[in-house]
Amino acid sequence: MVAGVRLKPDPITPSSHCPDPIFMFARKLYVEITTRCNMRCGMCIKHVPESRISNEDLDPAVFMRLIPHLAEIEELILNGIGEPLLHPNLVEMLSTARKHMPKNSRRGFQTNGILLDEKNSNELIDAGLNLLCISVDGSTCKESAPGKPFQHQVLPHSPVKMVDSIRKRKGCADFRLGGEVVLTRETLPNLPDLVRQLGDEGADFIIGSHLLAFQPENEASTLFDTNSDKARKIYNKYKKFCTDEGIELKQLTGKTWIAPRHPKEHLLKNIFKQMLGEARKDDTWLHVNHLETFDETITQEAETYYRRSYETAGEYGIELDLPPLTATLGRSCKFIRDKALFINTRGYVMPCHALWHDYTLHMNGQPKHFHAKSFGNIIDRELDDICTDTDLVEFRAHSGSNEFPYCHSCNPGPCPDITGEAGPFINDCFGIPVPCGHCLWCYDAIRCL
């Protein structure tokens, strides 16, 4: 047993970062109804060379297995990797969900917007759609070679403006309409203008998310700094000490740490020990190489665009949801907070976005291999039975505890176990059997509906 975490189905004691008891039954469902897409964006997970995600649709009969559970579902998101509008039974699924979900529930999806027109927009809204997020990147991304940055083009129509007009005409006061944008070094300067454009077109909200680098060359575009503000403050303090003495923190090696020879090496070791001691006392993790190589001016420039974007959003009354630019020490899993579960096109139940598929991300110059994790299939088991399985309850308890290490900021790591180099994840260096310590969703860097 890990200290502070109960491993029995109920009740689970909450942690400071997970204020509610760990949930037993899902209140939010992500259902991947298709993995097909009508675009080939170079930065997409499906189009990297090693991708093993096939093109397939969710069988409507599998979706019908959810009917007994929809009365408890407050939000249903009908998408995953693919473009939801490609599924031939999307309207029927929405209609079925509306009949069985609570009165004030949400039914929606995210789309690239290309296939939206007057006809299907009317049909979708009449069927029960009341939450729609249009990906600004997807709707303006030309076909491009894998690894290449997004290229923007003007669509022949504005899907946001069109849907806004239809919902107003129908008097759908509870319909939520928004946009989503991936924030990169290339796209961020356009964010304030994008907020204004979406405000003019009638958007209620905008979701920003940092880039998931599915190829090594994508990392150069990322804005997110895995170092915390506290770590940077401590590091800069001791870096100045070194500069004043004519030495550099990055000069410390394993050899000089074990057996320093001359006064400068002894001094460097002592400064390093003092820095680590202060960080430990402040419960802050430090990764010296990451701190040394990250350009702080990038974050400072980004803060300017953030501020301008929030000011513009305020003018339009838009709910602007942007991720932090640096890692937060108060980690929290959105999927635990939202009481969410995921179902893929084959009916398998997953705990979160990060473990929905097999894929590789590139973080801080090295690959991180994710392996899909399933806790059962709704084809042969009831969803409620899967929800109460000890394995899933324990997984959520560990994830919600936030007692795992800060793998991005671990000075000698991350280790092969957490990056997946040694094989499918088993446990981290604390012995905790969830891979959350190296998860960008846990750091709130990645956002979605």
Side-chain angles (χ1 to χ4, degrees):
M1 178 182 292
V2 178
V5 179
R6 297 187 187 180
L7 302 183
K8 294 182 179 180
D10 78 287
I12 301 291
T13 302
S15 74
S16 59
H17 299 306
C18 187
D20 298 322
I22 300 301
F23 67 95
M24 187 72 75
F25 301 104
R27 293 294 178 263
K28 181 174 184 176
L29 276 184
Y30 292 84
V31 181
E32 184 175 56
I33 62 174
T34 184
T35 55
R36 294 185 295 131
C37 189
N38 54 335
M39 302 199 71
R40 289 188 57 84
C41 298
M43 286 187 173
C44 178
I45 184 175
K46 283 196 66 178
H47 303 303
V48 296
E50 68 273 15
S51 175
R52 297 188 297 274
I53 299 174
S54 58
N55 291 323
E56 55 191 35
D57 292 344
L58 178 75
D59 187 328
V62 176
F63 183 81
M64 299 299 281
R65 294 276 299 165
L66 294 172
I67 288 179
H69 312 283
L70 291 177
E72 303 300 322
I73 300 301
E74 297 166 1
E75 192 166 354
L76 178 67
I77 306 298
L78 296 176
N79 65 271
I81 295 299
E83 169 52 54
L85 290 167
L86 289 173
H87 198 292
N89 300 97
L90 176 58
V91 170
E92 289 83 352
M93 290 179 185
L94 285 167
S95 180
T96 297
R98 183 179 61 178
K99 291 176 183 176
H100 295 90
M101 289 177 68
K103 181 179 180 181
N104 296 320
S105 58
R106 292 281 178 195
R107 294 162 297 280
F109 56 84
Q110 186 168 318
T111 173
N112 59 40
I114 291 176
L115 298 177
L116 279 175
D117 56 31
E118 289 272 350
K119 181 176 183 297
N120 60 21
S121 295
N122 274 285
E123 292 174 344
L124 292 166
I125 293 174
D126 289 344
L129 179 72
N130 59 7
L131 176 62
L132 183 64
C133 184
I134 298 173
S135 173
V136 178
D137 301 301
S139 66
T140 59
C141 181
K142 295 180 181 178
E143 287 197 10
S144 57
K148 297 297 182 183
F150 290 117
Q151 302 175 47
H152 295 279
Q153 62 180 348
V154 178
L155 286 177
H157 69 289
S158 165
V160 173
K161 187 175 182 179
M162 177 190 64
V163 174
D164 179 54
S165 175
I166 294 173
R167 67 166 174 170
K168 287 177 177 175
R169 188 168 66 242
K170 290 180 176 291
C172 301
D174 68 335
F175 192 105
R176 295 270 291 157
L177 175 63
E180 189 269 349
V181 61
V182 175
L183 304 173
T184 68
R185 298 186 190 184
E186 295 82 11
T187 64
L188 186 62
N190 300 321
L191 183 60
D193 290 338
L194 175 64
V195 173
R196 187 171 299 280
Q197 175 189 330
L198 291 176
D200 287 334
E201 293 177 354
D204 302 311
F205 67 90
I206 299 173
I207 299 171
S209 177
H210 287 300
L211 176 70
L212 289 172
F214 295 114
Q215 298 210 68
E217 53 268 37
N218 295 158
E219 271 207 272
S221 295
T222 187
L223 284 165
F224 185 65
D225 181 3
T226 54
N227 303 298
S228 69
D229 290 337
K230 276 191 175 182
R232 191 182 297 102
K233 183 177 180 180
I234 294 172
Y235 176 76
N236 287 340
K237 171 183 173 181
Y238 287 90
K239 183 178 181 179
K240 185 179 185 305
F241 290 164
C242 286
T243 301
D244 293 343
E245 296 292 338
I247 54 180
E248 295 183 36
L249 273 173
K250 66 180 180 181
Q251 291 176 333
L252 184 75
T253 64
K255 185 176 180 180
T256 56
W257 176 262
I258 295 171
R261 295 170 297 172
H262 50 75
K264 290 285 188 182
E265 289 184 349
H266 281 281
L267 178 60
L268 179 59
K269 177 179 178 179
N270 287 334
I271 291 176
F272 204 94
K273 287 176 67 177
Q274 290 177 40
M275 179 180 70
L276 293 182
E278 181 174 335
R280 192 178 303 114
K281 184 178 179 180
D282 201 28
D283 196 25
T284 300
W285 293 56
L286 295 174
H287 194 299
V288 174
N289 286 339
H290 294 173
L291 287 161
E292 179 67 33
T293 57
F294 194 84
D295 185 355
E296 287 189 52
T297 60
I298 295 172
T299 301
Q300 292 166 357
E301 291 174 0
E303 287 172 348
T304 300
Y305 291 116
Y306 265 40
R307 184 174 62 255
R308 288 172 51 194
S309 298
Y310 276 115
E311 289 171 354
T312 304
E315 294 174 18
Y316 285 89
I318 290 176
E319 180 186 316
L320 180 60
D321 184 16
L322 299 180
L325 292 164
T326 59
T328 55
L329 294 177
R331 298 169 299 181
S332 179
C333 177
K334 164 185 169 61
F335 308 118
I336 294 292
R337 295 197 311 268
D338 289 352
K339 301 178 175 61
L341 280 179
F342 295 71
I343 298 172
N344 73 4
T345 52
R346 299 179 182 181
Y348 287 98
V349 177
M350 276 78 172
C352 60
H353 236 307
L355 302 177
W356 216 343
H357 290 277
D358 292 338
Y359 59 97
T360 297
L361 283 182
H362 294 270
M363 305 180 182
N364 298 122
Q366 67 182 123
K368 156 79 173 180
H369 305 290
F370 287 85
H371 301 273
K373 186 172 184 64
S374 168
F375 290 90
N377 195 302
I378 61 171
I379 293 176
D380 48 40
R381 297 185 63 195
E382 292 299 325
L383 181 61
D384 283 355
D385 291 340
I386 296 173
C387 285
T388 55
D389 263 0
T390 301
D391 287 346
L392 179 53
V393 173
E394 288 182 1
F395 184 98
R396 292 190 298 232
H398 284 299
S399 180
S401 75
N402 293 295
E403 294 184 357
F404 33 81
Y406 286 82
C407 298
H408 290 283
S409 300
C410 176
N411 209 47
C415 57
D417 294 319
I418 198 73
T419 62
E421 290 292 332
F425 177 83
I426 298 176
N427 57 257
D428 59 34
C429 61
F430 286 5
I432 297 177
V434 293
C436 307
H438 204 222
C439 176
L440 289 174
W441 279 270
C442 186
Y443 284 84
D444 203 22
I446 309 300
R447 297 187 173 184
C448 55
L449 270 183

